[in-house]
Amino acid sequence: MSKFIIQGGKKLEGEVKISGSKNSALPIIAATILNSGKTTLYNVPNIQDVKTMFEIIEDIGGKVTKKNNKIIIDTSNVHTYEIPDNLMRKMRSSVILAGALLGRYKRARFSYPGGCEIGSRPIDLHLKGFEKLGINIKEEFGEIVCNADKIKGTQIHLDFPSVGATENIILASCLAEGKTILTNSAKEPEIEDLIKYLNKMGAKIKGEGTDKIEIEGVTRLAEVSYNIMPDRIEAGTYLIAGAVTGGKIKITNVKPEHIEPLLNKLEEANCELSIGKNYVEIIAPKRIKAVDIKTMPYPGFPTDMQSIFGAMLTTAKGTSIITENIFENRYKYIQELNRMGAKVKIEGRTAIIKGTKRIQGANVIATDLRGGAALIIEALVAKGITQIDNIEYILRGYENIVEKLKQIGAKIYIEK
Ligand code: EPZ
């Protein structure tokens, strides 16, 4: 496995252009199956998870063509409703293809996505939603087999505002007969982006960004082009890199309204922000002030920023409390931070972070995508050299991260 080698202690200064959103691109790529034709996408991030999704689209008969800054996906020749097991295992979020395959074929067959590094990741809410739409679900030999004579619109209430379940139910009901009303739906910006793309194709969906989404089934969807929204988690990651190193960073090609919860917390931590229509500039204080965060569904503080913000808090003046309310196992990165001198104690869903100035470089191992990003943050502020192993986790979700960090003055390189 490749490693990052990072020399810490440098103030990061300069400008970073944010890439397209991983968590918007993945469901939109799945949704291209619905129109059995072409879709042209712009601002798709060149990251491993997107490459895996393209592999799956081609494996089931689709064609993906890259042309300069656009991706053309042709799904007219998709010939199966089965998601290949080996690719399902490679990326559990490929479960989002189930809704798209059901929307097109009224059938889908896939292996249990299983858990991952941050939790058991059940899909009970996805399957309950499918059943309410009249889809029969059988579980045999570790596979889930879904089929329906017809998919009929209905009322669905989610026990929890699950992002994936909201997306999968929308995809399965776009071409259904009649109207589906989905309540307690997730409100994340990535869902708004998916709905905007589907409506541009001719879907009839209302309520994006709210906890009540109405999907009026239509008979077909057209070929369109679409521009993927900026990645709000990548945006937050670079702001925090500036904050933790006492630097000054301007991120461009962002939607500040998508990262409001984070911006509020950065201001509470004594960072100075200037916010424009599509940029945010941060000037770090001499020393970050300790703040408490609780992760919540959007528009609360995003769970994907928890580890990255937590790394910054290890150097703060005072003690911070983090409460992780979304995933049950999202503190694995902390043992690695403590190897670098951080003083963090975990009590159930809570992490108690006693700020310290003495963070030192060490050999650490990335445990998952955002946990790995947290190790980069820590390494940037540490005295000396840090080696981060298992960086494949990080490369799943951050486009050109080495180039972008070098651009703002970080001393980082990849050791194969
Ligand atoms: C999406 O995951 C994101 N992934 C995650 O980002 C993000 O952390 C998460 O939403 C929350 O914002 C993608 O969009 C590809 P959920 P998802 O369903 O859809 C429980 C990253 O780092 N749950 O909202 O899987 C679940 O166990 C990734 O980019 C059920 O119990 O998240 C979790 O505790 C990590 N039953 C909570 O809900 C279900 O059927 C939130 O999960 C579904 C979920």
Side-chain angles (χ1 to χ4, degrees), residues 22-23 26 92-93 118 120-126 160-165 167 188 232 303-304 326-328 330 369-370:
K22 166 178 88 80
N23 291 348
L26 294 176
R92 61 169 313 285
S93 44
I118 58 175
S120 58
R121 311 295 292 275
I123 58 167
D124 56 308
L125 301 177
H126 301 234
F160 179 86
S162 152
V163 170
E167 292 167 343
E188 271 69 2
R232 61 190 171 105
T303 173
D304 291 348
I326 307 295
F327 288 103
E328 75 271 18
R330 209 162 193 179
L369 166 56
R370 308 301 175 183

Side-chain angles (χ1 to χ4, degrees), residues 279-385:
Y279 73 84
V280 176
E281 185 167 56
I282 187 166
I283 301 176
K286 223 170 130 2
R287 192 174 180 197
I288 294 288
K289 184 166 95 44
V291 296
D292 297 342
I293 55 170
K294 292 181 182 352
T295 65
M296 296 299 280
Y298 194 86
F301 189 92
T303 173
D304 291 348
M305 288 306 311
Q306 179 258 103
S307 60
I308 301 155
F309 202 92
M312 179 184 78
L313 291 173
T314 63
T315 66
K317 186 170 182 327
T319 297
S320 310
I321 309 276
I322 293 183
T323 313
E324 170 56 58
N325 293 310
I326 307 295
F327 288 103
E328 75 271 18
N329 188 17
R330 209 162 193 179
Y331 286 134
K332 279 168 78 176
Y333 68 97
I334 285 185
Q335 66 195 17
E336 299 302 304
L337 295 189
N338 286 344
R339 288 167 63 86
M340 299 175 72
K343 299 187 179 334
V344 189
K345 264 191 346 188
I346 300 169
E347 286 169 14
R349 287 206 171 238
T350 304
I352 299 142
I353 304 176
K354 197 168 172 308
T356 172
K357 284 185 179 169
R358 280 200 300 284
I359 298 291
Q360 293 166 337
N363 292 351
V364 290
I365 300 174
T367 52
D368 58 85
L369 166 56
R370 308 301 175 183
L375 299 183
I376 292 178
I377 296 296
E378 202 74 335
L380 289 170
V381 69
K383 280 187 188 56
I385 305 274

Side-chain angles (χ1 to χ4, degrees), residues 158-368:
L158 287 175
D159 301 347
F160 179 86
S162 152
V163 170
T166 300
E167 292 167 343
N168 246 340
I169 291 163
I170 290 172
L171 293 176
S173 52
C174 261
L175 298 166
E177 282 180 27
K179 180 189 277 192
T180 295
I181 297 181
L182 178 58
T183 48
N184 195 29
S185 50
K187 301 184 266 193
E188 271 69 2
E190 292 77 16
I191 291 171
E192 275 193 70
D193 219 26
L194 173 64
I195 290 172
K196 280 197 191 115
Y197 164 66
L198 291 166
N199 282 343
K200 194 173 177 184
M201 291 166 96
K204 288 201 172 72
I205 306 172
K206 289 191 301 197
E208 60 270 25
T210 75
D211 61 1
K212 180 178 177 185
I213 296 176
E214 292 188 14
I215 306 116
E216 183 70 57
V218 294
T219 49
R220 62 177 302 283
L221 293 169
E223 298 191 344
V224 296
S225 64
Y226 191 75
N227 195 24
I228 302 282
M229 69 174 238
D231 193 308
R232 61 190 171 105
I233 307 302
E234 186 199 21
T237 304
Y238 287 104
L239 287 177
I240 288 174
V244 79
T245 57
K248 179 178 174 184
I249 296 287
K250 182 175 183 179
I251 55 171
T252 59
N253 185 38
V254 289
K255 291 192 174 175
E257 64 275 21
H258 287 171
I259 51 175
E260 208 169 312
L262 172 72
L263 299 180
N264 293 339
K265 282 294 169 185
L266 286 170
E267 280 181 332
E268 205 183 310
N270 279 350
C271 297
E272 207 186 304
L273 297 176
S274 62
I275 299 168
K277 191 169 167 311
N278 56 11
Y279 73 84
V280 176
E281 185 167 56
I282 187 166
I283 301 176
K286 223 170 130 2
R287 192 174 180 197
I288 294 288
K289 184 166 95 44
V291 296
D292 297 342
I293 55 170
K294 292 181 182 352
T295 65
M296 296 299 280
Y298 194 86
F301 189 92
T303 173
D304 291 348
M305 288 306 311
Q306 179 258 103
S307 60
I308 301 155
F309 202 92
M312 179 184 78
L313 291 173
T314 63
T315 66
K317 186 170 182 327
T319 297
S320 310
I321 309 276
I322 293 183
T323 313
E324 170 56 58
N325 293 310
I326 307 295
F327 288 103
E328 75 271 18
N329 188 17
R330 209 162 193 179
Y331 286 134
K332 279 168 78 176
Y333 68 97
I334 285 185
Q335 66 195 17
E336 299 302 304
L337 295 189
N338 286 344
R339 288 167 63 86
M340 299 175 72
K343 299 187 179 334
V344 189
K345 264 191 346 188
I346 300 169
E347 286 169 14
R349 287 206 171 238
T350 304
I352 299 142
I353 304 176
K354 197 168 172 308
T356 172
K357 284 185 179 169
R358 280 200 300 284
I359 298 291
Q360 293 166 337
N363 292 351
V364 290
I365 300 174
T367 52
D368 58 85

Side-chain angles (χ1 to χ4, degrees), residues 58-95:
E58 296 203 314
D59 192 277
I60 60 177
K63 193 168 172 352
V64 179
T65 317
K66 296 181 182 73
K67 256 198 198 124
N68 309 329
N69 64 339
K70 65 187 178 190
I71 308 270
I72 299 156
I73 303 175
D74 184 345
T75 61
S76 38
N77 294 324
V78 167
H79 51 65
T80 174
Y81 50 81
E82 297 200 14
I83 307 173
D85 179 50
N86 61 317
L87 293 172
M88 248 331 265
R89 289 175 183 285
K90 210 169 162 187
M91 184 178 68
R92 61 169 313 285
S93 44
S94 37
V95 69

